[in-house]
Amino acid sequence: MKQIEQWVRPNIRQLKPYSSARNEFSGEASVWLDANESPFNEPYNRYPDPLQTTLKKRLAQQRGVRSEQIFLGVGSDEAIDLLYRIFCEPGKNNVVSIAPTYGMYKVCADINGVEYREVPLNDDFSLDVEALLAAADANSRLLFLCSPNNPTGNAFPADEIERLVIAFDGIVVVDEAYIDFSAHPSWIRRLDEFPNLVVLQTFSKAWGSAGVRLGMAFASPMIIGYYNKVKYPYNISAPVQRYALGMLDRVDDVYRWVDEILSVRSRFIEQLATLPVVGKIYPTDANFVLVRVDNAGALYARLVAEGIVVRNRSTVTLCGECLRITIGTADEMERLLEAMRRYTQNKK
Ligand SMILES: *Cc1c(COP(=O)(O)O)cnc(C)c1O
């Protein structure tokens, strides 16, 4: 049995969190004079529910977990940063991660003064499980696995992730920002088996809501308890909580959007494969595709000149001459393909 509490920083274990007016009284009342709010400008005059009770209840039903297993943050970025602040003593603890992967894990490590140990994926972007375990030591607290991985697009096999969750003596974070596009099941189904597992999801991708900034961490009630202790008291605004409740009534729309993106993706990949400028198209479980091309810098610049922006990942580990292309509408992908065809012709 893993001792999660022993990995929590002593100052956080002992922390007495800020107690807000809405924490101290959250029952029914008709006269609210406890929080120095204005009586005017309904509904914006009131502080939001600090623990987002109604939203978490709905989300729990929808995802098949319990409310006490959910933390809501200002994007996944808040959920990532708080893990450092809960578990990593600056200058002492370290975290282990794969490379290439999502850039925020390292930025948060740098901000928090925590050593970041990168273990390259194999050339085919598969996990090197042994190397990840070998990179860890007694001071390792977090292991980041992004699956499906950004920017490579592939999801990692369940048996390999399970092996890491069991063998790693610390918190294993599985970032599932792209899970809705993948045939792989979510790790949130396994939370009760693994007390050291944290699963991240977000409203920013399949849910079409990057603008509102809402991310989710799913974990044991103990870990969620520490999240709640450390977060800003009113981190999720009332309009965002209301908005998200509305989105949860629109799951059918979200499923339709995902279906549409997946079918545009497969037609786009077929077309892409016919272009001479394209060297390799990596398999993808996400709403983007990583593509190795003839001269990524030149093609990128040419696309920008035509008003089309993709992501140049050429300088990233194992991604030399690679562009990462997000799947947009069928029209947008057709415009991109036409620009790539023109580029090939002009080069001849
Ligand atoms: C896009 C993305 C996120 C989402 O971050 P938000 O802060 O929720 O917008 C998280 N993780 C990965 C790997 C991503 O690519």
Side-chain angles (χ1 to χ4, degrees), residues 52-70 72 188 216 218 248:
Q52 309 99 22
T53 316
T54 311
L55 176 54
K56 281 182 185 168
K57 214 175 263 170
R58 277 296 315 280
L59 201 53
Q61 284 167 353
Q62 209 249 335
R63 303 283 150 124
V65 298
R66 301 189 303 282
S67 284
E68 320 86 78
Q69 294 174 305
I70 305 175
L72 297 176
I188 63 177
M216 300 160 269
F218 300 91
L248 290 173

Side-chain angles (χ1 to χ4, degrees), residues 83-224:
L83 285 172
Y84 281 93
R85 294 166 62 182
I86 295 165
F87 291 106
C88 299
E89 202 60 50
K92 178 178 170 210
N93 293 126
N94 65 74
V95 311
V96 179
S97 186
I98 56 177
T101 194
Y102 186 45
M104 275 309 285
Y105 315 140
K106 178 167 191 316
V107 172
C108 286
D110 291 345
I111 290 171
N112 287 287
V114 171
E115 184 194 347
Y116 185 81
R117 300 184 174 180
E118 287 186 332
V119 176
L121 296 172
N122 297 313
D123 285 340
D124 61 356
F125 297 149
S126 60
L127 283 178
D128 189 340
V129 174
E130 296 315 316
L132 282 163
L133 291 173
D137 62 21
N139 285 317
S140 301
R141 288 292 177 271
L142 307 174
L143 168 60
F144 284 99
L145 299 173
C146 182
S147 180
N149 188 32
N150 179 2
T152 59
N154 57 313
F156 300 115
D159 58 332
E160 293 177 6
I161 294 181
E162 179 165 348
R163 170 110 207 285
L164 288 164
V165 175
I166 291 168
F168 181 71
D169 258 333
I171 305 297
V172 175
V173 186
V174 180
D175 186 341
E176 295 187 336
Y178 300 99
I179 192 69
D180 304 277
F181 302 104
S182 167
H184 288 245
S186 168
W187 280 87
I188 63 177
R189 299 172 316 138
R190 315 278 308 268
L191 281 177
D192 286 328
E193 284 171 68
F194 304 115
N196 62 327
L197 175 64
V198 174
V199 179
L200 304 180
Q201 293 184 1
T202 178
F203 277 76
S204 295
K205 307 287 154 66
W207 288 77
S209 305
V212 306
R213 311 307 301 129
L214 189 59
M216 300 160 269
F218 300 91
S220 71
M222 184 200 280
I223 294 177
I224 298 302

Side-chain angles (χ1 to χ4, degrees), residues 251-280:
V251 274
D252 290 340
D253 288 337
V254 175
Y255 293 149
R256 265 196 306 108
W257 296 338
V258 168
D259 283 348
E260 172 69 10
I261 288 166
L262 293 183
S263 85
V264 170
R265 185 183 76 184
S266 47
R267 271 176 285 147
F268 172 68
I269 288 174
E270 276 170 29
Q271 292 297 305
L272 204 56
T274 67
L275 302 182
V277 68
V278 170
K280 183 164 175 58

